[in-house]
Amino acid sequence: DCSNSMKGSLTELKKLASLALKLLAKENKDIHFNMVRFGDKCQQFYPTSKETLEKDSLEFIQQAKANLGNTNVWLPLKSISDLVDDNSNKIVFLFSDGHFTDANAALAAVRNISGKIKLFTFAVSATANKHLLQKVAQIGSGYYEYFDKSRKSTWQAKVRNQLEKAR
């Protein structure tokens, strides 16, 4: 989530996404991987998913800015659902404050991908819309986790827990 609402929490989001990426690279060898920054538009890191995590993946995270406008989370979910085929198991990790521009459109997009994609939410920000992110994870057959910036010592265990649940 690189929308304007992330301005006060983008540093934490970058740390959290980088941690998740490092743990994912270390613990999972047989994955296809991609990243999308979103707001009013989507910026996909790779044109198609890659089998390996490239070194420049961390740069993509670190270069993120909270300047992509409104939080239209349905945009990346729609683009991901268009890529789904019956033979693939897709898991999406959503790092966000949950301040979606249109919560109904977001929930409709999650319902549309339900059964094709598992959606895990990583709530970042003291003002995160925890209820909405929990609902998104529930409908998306995934799990929700809140990451408090004052308790960073728990982040690694929480990320590992999310990765284990995604297997």
Side-chain angles (χ1 to χ4, degrees):
D1 183 349
C2 290
S3 65
N4 294 344
S5 67
M6 291 301 302
K7 280 193 171 111
S9 303
L10 194 64
T11 300
E12 281 73 32
L13 184 142
K14 288 178 184 183
K15 288 177 184 175
L16 181 58
S18 296
L19 173 62
L21 181 65
K22 289 173 187 174
L23 291 174
L24 189 65
K26 186 188 300 183
E27 297 177 9
N28 295 287
K29 304 298 178 203
D30 298 323
I31 64 167
H32 284 77
F33 162 82
N34 208 342
M35 291 184 289
V36 177
R37 294 190 291 227
F38 68 92
D40 279 333
K41 60 183 177 179
C42 294
Q43 297 172 342
Q44 196 166 305
F45 184 50
Y46 300 120
T48 60
S49 296
K50 298 239 181 192
E51 289 185 38
T52 59
L53 303 175
E54 305 284 329
K55 290 181 181 177
D56 54 353
S57 301
L58 287 172
E59 282 181 37
F60 182 78
I61 293 170
Q62 293 310 314
Q63 292 169 353
K65 292 181 175 36
N67 64 357
L68 293 182
N70 294 323
T71 313
N72 291 317
V73 71
W74 59 269
L75 285 170
L77 294 178
K78 168 116 176 58
S79 68
I80 292 166
S81 70
D82 291 344
L83 299 173
V84 173
D85 60 44
D86 292 335
N87 299 323
S88 67
N89 182 19
K90 297 260 192 267
I91 297 169
V92 173
F93 297 131
L94 173 64
F95 299 86
S96 179
D97 61 3
H99 295 290
F100 304 151
T101 302
D102 186 343
N104 290 330
L107 293 173
V110 174
R111 283 185 193 95
N112 188 48
I113 64 170
S114 182
K116 302 177 218 170
I117 296 173
K118 286 187 178 183
L119 183 58
F120 291 74
T121 56
F122 293 67
V124 181
S125 172
T127 62
N129 187 338
K130 297 172 188 172
H131 175 74
L132 184 56
L133 289 169
Q134 287 171 338
K135 185 92 170 155
V136 165
Q138 177 188 16
I139 294 170
S141 301
Y143 291 88
Y144 158 88
E145 190 65 66
Y146 173 68
F147 293 84
D148 184 344
K149 78 177 190 176
S150 67
R151 308 233 19 228
K152 288 184 184 168
S153 63
T154 65
W155 284 18
Q156 187 164 343
K158 287 181 171 188
V159 171
R160 271 204 171 98
N161 189 36
Q162 287 283 69
L163 294 176
E164 286 174 16
K165 290 175 183 175
R167 288 186 185 151

